[in-house]
Amino acid sequence: MKVRRAAVGEYATNCYIVYSSDDKSTMLIDPAFDIDRIEHFIGERKVTDIVLTHAHLDHIYEAPVLRKKYGASVYCGADDAPLLKDRRLYAPQNFMPYCEDREYPVDRFLKDGDELCFSDYKFGILALPGHTPGGIALYGEGALFCGDVLFFRSCGRTDFELGSDADMRNSLKRLSALDPETRVYPGHGFTTTIGAEIENNPFMRF
């Protein structure tokens, strides 16, 4: 599976571009800012699917623009639906004021145990609350796209209004049971593996 990473915006969010096996289409994961850079990696290919690991602005901002341009389907965790409509649930009013009026339509809300297929690839949906109530990960093809849950030697923050330390701990514990060879594509920072984080990440010690 061919994957490219574009670190975009002032928070260096990792937008992942997953290429189809025939290299004619792409799936985007967390397309935030720097749309020109994202489209550089898309090239002449189609965008068929856009997955939002959670509903924070630095992971969703360009999703509606790309959805409209390419006719792509947008997916998000069901329990993050309120955050798409009211950013005050996790950020103060006038935080990034230029973003205030943008709407974020979703074509399918995902829940734990759902399946998402792209090209010849099949991903299971893991519900991983803690950073947000509806955070999700795509797990399959030897990869985990987990948003702001697990990072290289760290984990996502839980001090937002809807964050939860207990939920984050349970989500990380769940990830610790995955195949240690699983390649982890986090929402920010370096790519890693489950095994490396079990061995070196203090938040993965249970």
Side-chain angles (χ1 to χ4, degrees), residues 58-106:
D58 61 321
H59 290 257
I60 69 174
Y61 184 67
E62 296 293 0
V65 176
L66 293 161
R67 176 181 181 268
K68 182 176 181 180
K69 179 172 181 177
Y70 292 97
S73 296
V74 174
Y75 306 86
C76 186
D79 288 341
D80 267 9
L83 279 68
L84 293 167
K85 297 185 178 298
D86 187 357
R87 291 195 301 108
R88 292 172 297 178
L89 293 173
Y90 68 89
Q93 195 168 13
N94 295 320
F95 173 74
M96 295 184 178
Y98 57 92
C99 305
E100 292 291 343
D101 297 327
R102 184 166 286 188
E103 295 183 355
Y104 297 92
V106 170

Side-chain angles (χ1 to χ4, degrees), residues 5-206:
R5 175 179 69 94
V8 297
E10 60 187 283
Y11 297 104
T13 301
N14 289 334
C15 170
Y16 295 104
I17 301 92
V18 181
Y19 298 89
S20 62
S21 56
D22 63 8
D23 203 33
K24 293 182 179 179
S25 61
T26 62
M27 174 174 67
L28 305 181
I29 300 172
D30 291 351
F33 305 101
D34 297 351
I35 192 169
D36 290 342
R37 188 151 183 261
I38 295 171
E39 292 200 303
H40 168 76
F41 289 101
I42 295 170
E44 298 300 317
R45 304 169 185 86
K46 297 183 293 183
V47 178
T48 57
D49 302 278
I50 299 171
V51 181
L52 310 177
T53 62
H54 61 290
H56 285 170
L57 263 182
D58 61 321
H59 290 257
I60 69 174
Y61 184 67
E62 296 293 0
V65 176
L66 293 161
R67 176 181 181 268
K68 182 176 181 180
K69 179 172 181 177
Y70 292 97
S73 296
V74 174
Y75 306 86
C76 186
D79 288 341
D80 267 9
L83 279 68
L84 293 167
K85 297 185 178 298
D86 187 357
R87 291 195 301 108
R88 292 172 297 178
L89 293 173
Y90 68 89
Q93 195 168 13
N94 295 320
F95 173 74
M96 295 184 178
Y98 57 92
C99 305
E100 292 291 343
D101 297 327
R102 184 166 286 188
E103 295 183 355
Y104 297 92
V106 170
D107 297 284
R108 179 186 171 192
F109 285 104
L110 300 170
K111 62 183 184 302
D112 192 67
D114 283 347
E115 189 174 88
L116 182 62
C117 295
F118 165 70
S119 180
D120 299 332
Y121 311 130
K122 185 180 295 185
F123 300 95
I125 301 301
L126 305 181
L128 299 173
H131 183 64
T132 66
I136 58 170
L138 273 64
Y139 178 54
E141 308 299 330
L144 177 77
F145 298 92
C146 60
D148 288 2
V149 178
L150 178 62
F151 296 139
F152 178 86
R153 310 298 189 263
S154 189
C155 70
R157 58 188 290 187
T158 58
D159 58 340
F160 295 111
E161 183 176 345
L162 298 180
S164 167
D165 288 336
D167 285 347
M168 177 62 78
R169 181 176 174 81
N170 288 335
S171 292
L172 293 172
K173 189 171 185 178
R174 183 180 188 186
L175 294 183
S176 72
L178 301 182
D179 184 338
E181 297 298 318
T182 301
R183 194 153 183 82
V184 177
Y185 295 92
H188 304 269
F190 301 112
T191 302
T192 184
T193 66
I194 290 292
E197 295 312 302
I198 291 172
E199 184 175 350
N200 298 292
N201 189 333
F203 296 97
M204 292 286 276
R205 296 171 186 160
F206 303 103

